[in-house]
Amino acid sequence: MHASYLIAGAGFEAARRLPADHGQAARPHGHSFRLSVRSDAQNTSQEALQAAVQAAVAPLDYTDLNAALAASDDLSLARHIADALPHPAAIQLRGAPDRGVMLDGARALSWINSSFEAAHYLPHVPPGHKCGRLHGHGFGVRIVADAALSGQHDLARAWATLHGRLNHRYLNDIPGLDNPTSEVLAQWLHQQLRDAVPGLAWVEVRETHSAGSQFDGKTFRIWKEQRFESAMPFDAAGNYTGHSYLVRLMLSGGIDRTMGWLLDFGDVKDRFKPIYRQLDHNPLDKLAGLRRADNAAVAEWIHAQLAPLVPELSRIDLMESDDAGVSLHFRQDMRWPLL
Ligand SMILES: Nc1nc2c(c(=O)[nH]1)N=C([C@H](O)[C@H](O)COP(=O)(O)OP(=O)(O)OP(=O)(O)O)CN2
């Protein structure tokens, strides 16, 4: 058995002024807000969720939030939107590309995104592995904390000193980072931040455009994303539409102490390759053994093919666009991240 969720998104443009202790944000300014909502698939359909999300944000679009709401900070806004939805849902609200909040029932989290540029190599990979060569990345970092204990400014302040230690550095020279995989980096960042950030929830490291890791002090989660181009029926008459799909394969568990990773991103991709070939540039309703012609059934189909090859596989997100998709959870503790 697994939990099945639908994801819908929307954007809105709005103006606001935050209270006087928010620095320059106390002046009138504007945002392109982005909202992602994840709702239990038993409660709704993709179309109904999309319509509910649109209806929730429409009254906020092109408005002065201070005139419409008692408080206009990200968290108050997310709570207002959650109340406007017909069913309980997890919500991510991005006020700007580098910061936002998440809400899931009683749990409220604040987060910041940042990045640093650095060189590294992985000393324990087999001979010939590309990551054994000196190379580098523009690493993405997300820091997430209990919103009641640490706000976005607290996170930004705590991150600033670490950024100075990592940006334009050779990571292997930094104590504790002699084997700087994404997982080791996420764990290292968590260790560096946990005393400085009350309520630290987890740290994410995005190593490339398609792969990253997360550490919450206990469990490692990694993801590898792939894109494929496919046709799918969109009405009862069987007429086709098409999408540029994104599939996010998420694994969880412990890490191999020598390799410093849960499983090589490259191995996830290699094991997925024969499945990918059946998905890419094909009509998805013709997949052998598919139970229904919808995104959830395709994600279930992917899981049935891949789980025997990747036992750590714990969640699959399948997005037909930035604003519509499904998320299947095969372990109970995979609600986060709401990417
Ligand atoms: N579990 C991990 N696996 C790998 C890590 C890691 O930190 N943890 N790191 C690497 C390499 O450093 C590499 O640069 C990134 O790997 P990969 O996703 O395979 O790289 P690409 O962006 O080239 O992937 P494509 O899908 O081919 O674009 C390797 N593995």
Side-chain angles (χ1 to χ4, degrees), residues 120 122 125 129-131 135-137 180-184 207-213 222 224-226 260-267 269:
H120 78 161
L122 302 184
V125 295
H129 193 296
K130 68 178 177 184
C131 300
H135 64 285
H137 302 280
T181 62
S182 291
E183 290 90 329
V184 168
E207 180 161 337
T208 65
H209 65 288
S210 67
S213 75
I222 65 168
K224 180 76 185 166
E225 296 173 348
Q226 300 269 269
W261 62 35
L262 213 155
L263 184 67
D264 186 350
F265 298 139
D267 283 347
K269 189 172 161 181

Side-chain angles (χ1 to χ4, degrees), residues 53-178:
V53 168
Q54 293 289 353
V57 301
L60 304 172
D61 200 22
Y62 284 89
T63 59
D64 172 0
L65 295 174
N66 297 81
L69 305 173
S72 63
D73 59 282
D74 287 355
L75 203 50
S76 304
L77 209 43
R79 290 197 168 113
H80 173 84
I81 293 167
D83 289 345
L85 294 171
H87 302 289
I91 283 187
Q92 170 158 263
L93 181 70
R94 208 175 62 190
D98 64 348
R99 66 202 115 102
V101 294
M102 287 182 259
L103 270 185
D104 192 3
R107 198 166 189 207
L109 298 159
S110 53
W111 57 264
I112 59 160
N113 275 347
S114 189
S115 61
F116 65 93
E117 313 287 318
H120 78 161
Y121 83 104
L122 302 184
H124 304 301
V125 295
H129 193 296
K130 68 178 177 184
C131 300
R133 301 193 296 268
L134 174 60
H135 64 285
H137 302 280
F139 290 89
V141 172
R142 179 178 291 197
I143 303 167
V144 185
D146 183 330
L149 300 174
S150 292
Q152 293 156 354
H153 284 101
D154 304 314
L155 301 181
R157 210 172 306 119
W159 165 246
T161 40
L162 276 178
H163 179 263
R165 288 173 65 189
L166 296 168
N167 197 36
H168 299 310
R169 305 288 160 165
Y170 179 34
L171 298 180
N172 300 64
D173 280 350
I174 297 174
L177 292 180
D178 48 302

Side-chain angles (χ1 to χ4, degrees), residues 271-285:
R271 293 178 203 185
F272 185 59
K273 212 171 267 172
I275 301 161
Y276 178 87
R277 281 199 207 100
Q278 297 179 66
L279 298 163
D280 186 42
H281 285 80
N282 275 308
L284 296 181
D285 59 319

